[in-house]
């Protein structure tokens, strides 16, 4: 698209944002300052003062209810960045109102809720939902996918990944390590391989004594895809040193690794290396920018793109099964509902 940045009054797409915490506020800034063809015009947060703060900054309307914002005829599309538990309800409201929605991951906090969203899109006969799996827009992961798809290193055999946070949030739980953090790897590995998963396992490791004892940390996921590609993912919520996302594809004729894109390698005073980010929102900033532009363009074209509700459902179903596997101590086969044909038309 070639438009220049729209102002609030001239924007073609009027976006309403539900949830004005850290990520919601960052997305508002992104849409207002970077995304072409759109502007945020209204917000809602269950803590009204939070919404008011960001609204004052950009001169936005504050709604009393998220549902009201969704149904307003002054809102064309919606971003959901509220708590994980509230996602499903707002997504359903958006589909009922016929509005495209970008919902932060996870799509919902239960498999049942994901299925209810699939049912609504199926009944409507089109997609409205894009799930915020922004890593699909990261240049490093895109390069890895291109290497896999071109077969230049031969067949993909294994993927080895790590998701390391500097430290976990106050409200973090053992299951959130899989359902809230590891869910990124569950989605991106499936996207890289282009295959559905068949079975998986989650293991606990020696407990990190610096992590809250109520949280099992770190954990290790082992996930197998249809052709036998086997992936291992370290989920480490308290790495102690920074936010570090790793991914290595092991193929028949070579290996490719994700590099940390934000810095240069420095050689100085007997040192060779680069700094490490500490805040996860910075690592994928460019990917978020691309994701939002793609989403706004898709609203213009009335055709949802990116990670679909089906992808959100699969990620949730796999995350829950992995939690079950960890608790039972056995490999679990993933049982998925039948894929509605609606999602076959979509390149994931
Ligand atoms: C956080 O919620 C995110 O979505 C980040 O992308 C992830 O890396 C982090 O671990 C989560 O806590």
């Amino acid at each position: 698209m070639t438009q220049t940045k729209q102002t609030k009054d001239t924007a073609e797409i009027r976006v309403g944002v539900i949830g004005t915490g850290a990520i919601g506020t960052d997305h508002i800034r992104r849409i207002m300052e970077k995304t072409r063809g759109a502007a945020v015009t209204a917000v809602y947060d269950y803590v009204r003062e939070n919404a008011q703060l960001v609204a004052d900054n950009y001169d936005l309307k504050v709604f009393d209810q998220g549902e009201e914002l969704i149904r307003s005829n002054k809102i064309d599309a919606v971003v959901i960045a509220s708590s994980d538990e509230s996602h499903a309800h707002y997504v359903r409201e958006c589909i009922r109102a016929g509005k495209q929605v970008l919902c932060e991951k996870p799509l919902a906090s239960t498999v049942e809720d994901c299925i209810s969203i699939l049912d609504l899109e199926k009944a409507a006969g089109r997609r409205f939902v894009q799930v915020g799996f922004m890593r699909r827009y990261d240049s490093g992961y895109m390069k890895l996918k291109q290497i896999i798809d071109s077969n230049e290193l031969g067949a993909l055999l294994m993927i080895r990944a790590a998701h390391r946070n500097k430290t976990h949030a106050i409200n973090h739980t053992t299951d959130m390590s899989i359902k809230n953090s590891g869910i990124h790897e569950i989605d991106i590995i499936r996207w890289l391989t282009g295959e559905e998963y068949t079975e998986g396992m989650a293991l606990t490791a020696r407990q990190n004594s610096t992590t809250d004892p109520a949280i099992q940390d770190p954990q290790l996921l082992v996930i197998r895809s249809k052709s036998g590609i086997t992936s291992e993912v370290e989920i480490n919520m308290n790495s102690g040193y920074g936010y570090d996302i790793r991914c290595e594809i092991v193929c028949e004729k070579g290996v490719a690794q994700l590099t940390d894109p934000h810095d240069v390698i420095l050689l100085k005073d007997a040192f060779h290396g680069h700094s490490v980010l500490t805040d996860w929102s910075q690592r994928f900033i460019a990917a978020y920018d691309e994701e939002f532009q793609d989403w706004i363009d898709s609203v213009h074209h009335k055709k949802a793109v990116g990670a679909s509700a089906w992808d959100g459902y699969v990620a949730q179903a796999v995350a829950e099964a992995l939690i079950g596997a960890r608790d039972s101590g056995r490999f679990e086969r993933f049982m998925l509902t039948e894929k509605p044909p609606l999602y076959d038309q979509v390149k994931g």
Side-chain angles (χ1 to χ4, degrees), residues 104-105 134-135 163 165 172 180-182 184 237 243 245 280 284 288:
E104 262 306 332
K105 44 55 62 177
M134 77 299 183
R135 291 190 188 182
H163 185 140
N165 281 22
H172 196 79
N180 184 281
S181 297
H184 280 296
M237 290 294 108
Y243 182 68
I245 297 299
W280 57 262
F284 289 103
Y288 279 122

Side-chain angles (χ1 to χ4, degrees), residues 51-348:
Q52 198 61 57
L53 220 61
V54 62
D56 288 347
N57 204 16
Y58 289 106
D59 187 23
L60 311 174
K61 177 171 172 56
V62 179
F63 278 92
D64 292 329
Q65 297 294 331
E67 296 81 353
E68 234 185 288
L69 175 151
I70 291 168
R71 290 184 211 130
S72 163
N73 58 14
K74 294 201 167 74
I75 294 296
D76 304 311
V78 179
V79 172
I80 299 174
S82 47
S83 65
D84 292 359
E85 298 68 39
S86 66
H87 289 182
H89 169 68
Y90 291 133
V91 170
R92 285 190 293 257
E93 287 296 298
C94 288
I95 300 172
R96 290 191 185 109
K99 294 194 180 163
Q100 280 183 231
V101 51
L102 192 148
C103 178
E104 262 306 332
K105 44 55 62 177
L107 173 61
S109 48
T110 67
V111 168
E112 292 70 31
D113 271 331
C114 291
I115 291 178
S116 72
I117 291 167
L118 296 180
D119 288 344
L120 279 178
E121 282 199 324
K122 203 162 66 177
R126 62 160 283 202
R127 281 185 55 191
F128 289 94
V129 182
Q130 175 169 352
V131 182
F133 285 128
M134 77 299 183
R135 291 190 188 182
R136 293 177 178 216
Y137 293 89
D138 175 76
S139 57
Y141 280 114
M142 284 162 72
K143 185 79 205 291
L144 290 181
K145 181 151 180 66
Q146 186 202 317
I147 291 170
I148 294 168
D149 291 349
S150 70
N151 216 32
E152 82 179 74
L153 296 182
L156 172 63
L157 310 173
M158 297 197 296
I159 296 184
R160 312 184 73 185
H163 185 140
R164 300 186 183 137
N165 281 22
K166 183 164 191 305
T167 188
H168 56 79
I170 300 166
N171 63 351
H172 196 79
T173 65
T174 302
D175 289 354
M176 277 172 73
S177 295
I178 299 180
K179 287 171 80 161
N180 184 281
S181 297
I183 202 157
H184 280 296
E185 273 75 16
I186 293 172
D187 178 70
I188 203 69
I189 290 173
R190 179 172 161 266
W191 179 76
L192 284 171
T193 63
E195 290 182 15
E196 288 301 0
Y197 295 128
T198 53
E199 58 178 357
M201 173 56 151
L203 299 167
T204 54
R206 179 177 181 178
Q207 176 70 8
N208 181 340
S209 65
T210 70
T211 305
D212 177 344
I215 303 168
Q216 276 288 342
D217 181 62
Q219 300 181 56
L220 188 74
L221 310 180
V222 180
I223 321 176
R224 204 161 277 147
S225 307
K226 260 190 181 147
S227 68
I229 299 163
T230 302
S231 305
E232 58 153 35
V233 183
E234 169 195 325
I235 306 176
N236 184 343
M237 290 294 108
N238 213 7
S239 73
Y241 70 91
Y243 182 68
D244 194 6
I245 297 299
R246 297 178 174 228
C247 185
E248 176 178 86
I249 58 170
V250 181
C251 304
E252 287 173 320
K253 294 187 283 186
V255 165
Q257 291 170 344
L258 210 60
T259 50
D260 203 326
H262 80 286
D263 206 355
V264 294
I265 304 272
L266 189 67
L267 292 102
K268 188 187 168 204
D269 297 336
F271 171 85
H272 176 182
H274 62 77
S275 63
V276 183
L277 291 169
T278 52
D279 178 3
W280 57 262
S281 68
Q282 299 304 304
R283 166 63 179 83
F284 289 103
I285 208 154
Y288 279 122
D289 290 349
E290 292 293 327
E291 175 191 50
F292 268 70
Q293 191 60 62
D294 201 32
W295 177 62
I296 286 299
D297 291 350
S298 83
V299 177
H300 275 284
H301 298 130
K302 299 189 172 39
K303 204 167 187 322
V305 296
S308 66
W310 173 257
D311 299 319
Y313 155 73
V314 173
Q316 186 64 28
V318 168
E320 286 191 18
L322 287 169
I323 290 169
R326 185 195 61 213
D327 295 345
S328 72
R330 286 195 301 268
F331 259 87
E332 290 282 339
R333 289 200 72 76
F334 303 132
M335 309 302 275
L336 296 181
T337 187
E338 203 181 321
K339 185 176 182 180
L342 173 63
Y343 303 104
D344 285 331
Q345 305 154 10
V346 178
K347 224 171 102 251

Side-chain angles (χ1 to χ4, degrees), residues 14-29:
R14 298 162 300 176
V15 179
V17 176
I18 296 182
T20 55
I23 190 75
T25 303
D26 198 38
H27 289 334
I28 292 167
R29 177 203 54 76

